[in-house]
Every structure is written in structure tokens, then in C-alpha cells.
Amino acid sequence: MIAFLGMGLLGENFTRALLKKGNQVQVWNRTFSKAAALEPLGAKAFAGVADAVRGADVVHLTLKDDEAVDEVLAAAFPGLAAGTVLIDHTTTSVPGAIERTRVWKEHGFTYLHAPVFMGPQNALDSTGTMMVSGDQDVIARQEPALSGMTGKVLNFGPETGRAAAIKLLGNSFLVTFTAGIADMLSLAKALQVPLSDVSTLFDTWNPGALLPARLKRLTSGVYTQPSWTLNMARKDTGLFMEAARQGGIPLAVIPSIAIEMDKWIGKGHGGDDWTVIAKDAVS
């Protein structure tokens, strides 16, 4: 028996996928109607968390944050059978994941943090990426079932909390990436470039393909053989900001990057490759 706590976009579709595969699933959500909506598909909905986990061998959680996970698990505790496996897909802090692993082990339960890089459609289709780390015996026992929920399970080794850290790294990239796109679109607006032309550019040019090589260059520690000097990158960054200023369009990310560039130019790195701005992060 599986219990699933949290019927948000991911939790609901994870549950739908599990039901399609013939699993018995008991569900709970703060707003009961969201859990009850899955009963026509075969789920059994409960208004109380302890009731939802009663009889379950494995409990999955997709909640908001550390506080929500701790609160819901505390409420579930009276209904948990000894040895129940708790698998938490919530994006949480690293200390939170470490502490819950320790505390629930002391209570006689297995807690495994398994965050994901998946959208709702991935959860429904059982595709995407799930991360785990920690006790390798626990992971070995749970990995077959977890692999069935996602396209790939990445095991980051025996350090508890490492999966939580990897999830935060990935999300930080997504936040920065999206904010950078927003700045680019703001610049397009300031320069009166239509969105159709922006789309034409990226239909042909895929900068995402540069990511592995750019990461390698950033982390190489070698910045003295520039393909684009920091001085030239800073010059272009100034052009971005001036065009935006003249167009009356604010930029969110670029000005902060300009400050970082100026810092490294002030240290004498203007003639180095512009990726030198990552030097402190990787040294």
C-alpha cells in the first residue's frame, strides 16, 4: 500500500501514474477536495494525515517546504506502522533533509529525500530525473520503485543531504536562466525588436548546447586564453544597460553582473576570458 501526501501539480500526477499501474494509493491534501477528486480513479482519500498513512508501506510527500514536511510528518506519526519508508520529493534545505533522516531513523523509520527535476506532465508520464543520496542500502532497496516513477534516478553517493543540495543548484540555474531571459526580452523591448525576431534567432542558435563546454571552461581555472575578454564583455554589458535606460525599461540581472565584472576588471583581469568572474566560486 502506498500513501501520497500533497496533491499539488506533482503529487496529483504522481498519484495518477501510480493508479494507472495498478497500485493501491491512499491520498491526503490540506484541501480535501483535491484528494477526493482522485477517488473516481481508484485512490482512497482521507481528511486526516494519520488515517491516510495507516496501513501504508511507503509514504511519498510532495509539499511546499521544510516546515510543511515537518508538520505533516508529525501529524502522520500516529498512523505510521513501524518500519514505514518515508520518501520526500519536496525541495527543502540541506540541513532539513539531514535532520529528518536522523530523527526519523531514531523513531524507527526510513526517511529518504528524493527531490526531482520534473514537471507535472513528467510525473504523469513517469519521465524526468529524481535525485537521491545517503544510505546506499536504503537506496538500493528503493531504487527499482523510484525508477518506475521517473525516467532516471541519479544517485549522488552516501552523503545525506547531497541530493537536496543538487536540487537547489539546479533550481538556482533555472531561476538565473529565466531571469536572464526576462532581461533579454526587456532589452528587446527597449530596442524595439519584435518577439518574432527573437524567436527566429533562437530557432537557429541554441546557446543551451554551449552549457557543457561553458561549465568546463568556468571550472578549468585557466582564464588567460580568452575567446571573449572581460573588457569586451563589460563593454557589451554597458551597451545593454544604456539601451535599456534610453528605452525606459529596467533590467533585473544585468546591472548586478556589471558590478561583478567591474570588480574583476579592478583586480587586473580585464584582458582575461570573461569567465574569470567565476574564479572565486571554483577555486
Side-chain angles (χ1 to χ4, degrees):
M1 176 73 73
I2 297 171
F4 222 110
L5 309 180
M7 292 294 104
L9 296 175
L10 280 180
E12 177 185 341
N13 278 1
F14 269 136
T15 299
R16 288 175 178 270
L18 288 168
L19 291 169
K20 284 182 180 179
K21 295 172 184 176
N23 294 284
Q24 290 182 294
V25 188
Q26 299 179 167
V27 296
W28 170 89
N29 193 72
R30 289 184 190 275
T31 303
F32 177 69
S33 60
K34 287 189 175 182
L38 293 170
E39 288 198 317
L41 300 178
K44 189 172 182 180
F46 292 85
V49 184
D51 293 327
V53 302
R54 195 164 278 116
D57 303 304
V58 179
V59 176
H60 293 268
L61 302 95
T62 52
L63 301 170
K64 179 183 178 183
D65 52 24
D66 288 275
E67 183 178 359
V69 173
D70 289 337
E71 179 185 338
V72 170
L73 284 177
F77 183 60
L80 293 172
T84 301
V85 178
L86 310 171
I87 301 180
D88 185 8
H89 307 292
T90 308
T91 300
T92 71
S93 68
V94 174
I98 294 172
E99 180 66 4
R100 277 185 289 277
T101 303
R102 182 189 67 79
V103 167
W104 286 95
K105 184 176 182 179
E106 290 179 354
H107 288 325
F109 302 94
T110 297
Y111 172 92
L112 178 64
H113 191 226
V116 300
F117 287 120
M118 299 171 68
Q121 191 62 44
N122 295 119
L124 186 61
D125 296 340
S126 300
T127 60
T129 301
M130 185 177 293
M131 286 83 64
V132 293
S133 67
D135 188 318
Q136 295 296 291
D137 289 336
V138 169
I139 291 171
R141 290 193 296 270
Q142 299 305 318
E143 191 165 2
L146 296 179
S147 296
M149 294 175 63
T150 184
K152 182 179 292 186
V153 175
L154 296 181
N155 183 350
F156 286 96
E159 185 175 334
T160 302
R162 179 58 58 85
I166 295 295
K167 172 62 174 178
L168 293 179
L169 292 181
N171 278 11
S172 73
F173 176 84
L174 293 177
V175 168
T176 308
F177 179 62
T178 302
I181 293 174
D183 263 13
M184 180 197 67
L185 294 175
S186 294
L187 183 59
K189 186 175 183 180
L191 292 169
Q192 300 181 10
V193 175
L195 294 181
S196 59
D197 284 354
V198 176
S199 295
T200 296
L201 170 64
F202 289 101
D203 284 343
T204 302
W205 177 52
N206 177 18
L210 304 175
L211 179 58
R214 182 58 49 85
L215 181 62
K216 184 176 181 179
R217 178 134 198 182
L218 280 164
T219 58
S220 69
V222 179
Y223 309 104
T224 55
Q225 300 174 0
S227 60
W228 193 25
T229 66
L230 180 56
N231 282 331
M232 292 301 290
R234 178 61 179 88
K235 180 267 295 181
D236 286 3
T237 301
L239 292 175
F240 309 155
M241 294 190 294
E242 178 60 19
R245 187 191 67 78
Q246 291 184 6
I249 304 296
L251 298 176
V253 178
I254 293 297
S256 294
I257 296 173
I259 291 171
E260 188 67 14
M261 288 176 164
D262 288 341
K263 183 183 82 173
W264 285 94
I265 290 172
K267 291 181 178 181
H269 293 281
D272 289 340
D273 191 84
W274 80 287
T275 55
V276 73
I277 64 174
K279 185 177 181 179
D280 284 347
V282 300
S283 61

